C-alpha cells in the first residue's frame, strides 16, 4: 500500500471537499500526462532499437515493440493497450541463435 509523504497528507487534510476533488482531477491529469510522456519516450527508443527484419505490417494496430526477459533470455513482443488492459503478442527471441 502506498503511504504518501506526511507533508502532503497534512496539507490535504486542511482542504475543503471541493478543493480535494479539484486536486484529485489535477493529479489524475498529471498522471495521464506522465504516462503518455513515458509511452512516447518508450516508443521513440523502440523505433531506434527495432530490428530491421520485424515487419510492422504484421503487428496489431497501435502496437509497439517490447522486449521481455524470461529466465535470462530476451524475447520480442508486440504490446498494445485495449481499454485498461495491456495485451501482448509473442514475436521471436531477441537473439535467434539462442
Amino acid at each position: 500500500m502506498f503511504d504518501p509523504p506526511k507533508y502532503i497528507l497534512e496539507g490535504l487534510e486542511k482542504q475543503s471537499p471541493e478543493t480535494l476533488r479539484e486536486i484529485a482531477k489535477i493529479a489524475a491529469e498529471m498522471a495521464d500526462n506522465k504516462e503518455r510522456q513515458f509511452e512516447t519516450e518508450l516508443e521513440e527508443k523502440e523505433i531506434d532499437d527495432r530490428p530491421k527484419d520485424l515487419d510492422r505490417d504484421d503487428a496489431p494496430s497501435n502496437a509497439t515493440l517490447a522486449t521481455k526477459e524470461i529466465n535470462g533470455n530476451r524475447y520480442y513482443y508486440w504490446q498494445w493497450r485495449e481499454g485498461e488492459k495491456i495485451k501482448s503478442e509473442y514475436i521471436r527471441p531477441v537473439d535467434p541463435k539462442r
Side-chain angles (χ1 to χ4, degrees):
M1 181 172 173
F2 174 70
D3 288 324
K6 185 177 178 180
Y7 72 93
I8 291 176
L9 288 177
E10 288 172 351
L12 291 173
E13 288 172 351
K14 298 174 185 177
Q15 305 306 313
S16 69
E18 296 82 18
T19 300
L20 288 171
R21 286 186 184 91
E22 288 301 315
I23 291 170
K25 287 180 191 175
I26 292 168
E29 289 173 7
M30 289 175 75
D32 290 344
N33 288 339
K34 285 188 175 258
E35 187 174 67
R36 278 192 296 276
Q37 181 181 4
F38 174 76
E39 288 174 356
T40 299
E41 290 170 0
L42 184 61
E43 287 172 8
E44 289 171 356
K45 182 182 182 310
E46 288 170 352
I47 289 170
D48 293 339
D49 294 344
R50 180 174 294 151
K52 305 302 179 222
D53 65 331
L54 290 181
D55 189 357
R56 179 76 184 134
D57 294 335
D58 294 338
S61 64
N62 77 339
T64 58
L65 185 65
T67 57
K68 294 183 182 181
E69 186 167 327
I70 302 170
N71 296 328
N73 297 309
R74 294 178 57 218
Y75 302 93
Y76 287 121
Y77 285 81
W78 291 119
Q79 199 165 51
W80 66 99
R81 185 178 294 275
E82 287 183 9
E84 294 295 316
K85 294 187 178 190
I86 295 177
K87 302 284 188 161
S88 295
E89 181 181 309
Y90 172 79
I91 303 171
R92 66 170 173 79
V94 170
D95 183 2
K97 297 175 186 174
R98 293 189 108 197

